[in-house]
Amino acid sequence: QVHLVESGGGLVQAWGSLRLSCVASGIISSIHVMGWYRQAPGKQRELVATVTSGGRINYADSVKGRFTISRDNAKNTVYLQMNSLKPEDTAVYYCNADAYDRDYWGQGTQVTVSS
């Protein structure tokens, strides 16, 4: 079992920055990919960024050059540094862990970007 807890969401102005954190607990060794997804009202949940256990990173085109995903293995934590935020980045952001048995989701953290 894997348990994920996100934090760091909030209200920021356009062009501002925010850093999200996701702390994983449980059978950490079972996780081979972690990532961030987001869901805006009335829209489907979409991938934002992922990082594999080997360090391979992928980003959605909409966030390339603005967001950075990273992980701290000692703290079992994945981060999402969000810079140059836009109102269209407003969404609930979810941490995801792709484990060998199934994938797990955090509770979500709200990010609101005002103009």
Side-chain angles (χ1 to χ4, degrees), residues 7-8 11-13 16 24 32 34 36 38 42 45 48 53 57-59 68 76 83 86 92 97 102-103 105 108:
S7 63
L11 174 64
V12 298
Q13 292 185 329
H32 57 275
M34 294 192 70
W36 290 94
R38 66 187 182 186
R45 187 172 299 185
V48 176
S53 59
I57 294 172
N58 286 305
Y59 295 101
T68 302
N76 295 324
N83 298 324
K86 306 174 181 180
V92 177
R102 53 163 286 192
D103 62 320
W105 296 91

Side-chain angles (χ1 to χ4, degrees), residues 98-115:
D98 186 358
Y100 295 114
D101 58 336
R102 53 163 286 192
D103 62 320
Y104 298 86
W105 296 91
Q107 83 287 352
T109 185
Q110 176 71 48
V111 172
T112 302
V113 184
S114 62
S115 60

Side-chain angles (χ1 to χ4, degrees), residues 36-56:
W36 290 94
Y37 292 71
R38 66 187 182 186
Q39 186 168 24
K43 296 184 178 181
Q44 292 183 281
R45 187 172 299 185
E46 64 176 356
L47 182 148
V48 176
T50 60
V51 57
T52 70
S53 59
R56 182 167 58 85

Side-chain angles (χ1 to χ4, degrees), residues 66-85:
R66 300 189 299 119
F67 291 10
T68 302
I69 189 171
S70 62
R71 63 191 304 167
D72 185 335
N73 292 330
K75 297 181 179 180
N76 295 324
T77 301
V78 175
Y79 303 95
L80 184 68
Q81 178 66 47
M82 304 184 293
N83 298 324
S84 301
L85 283 162

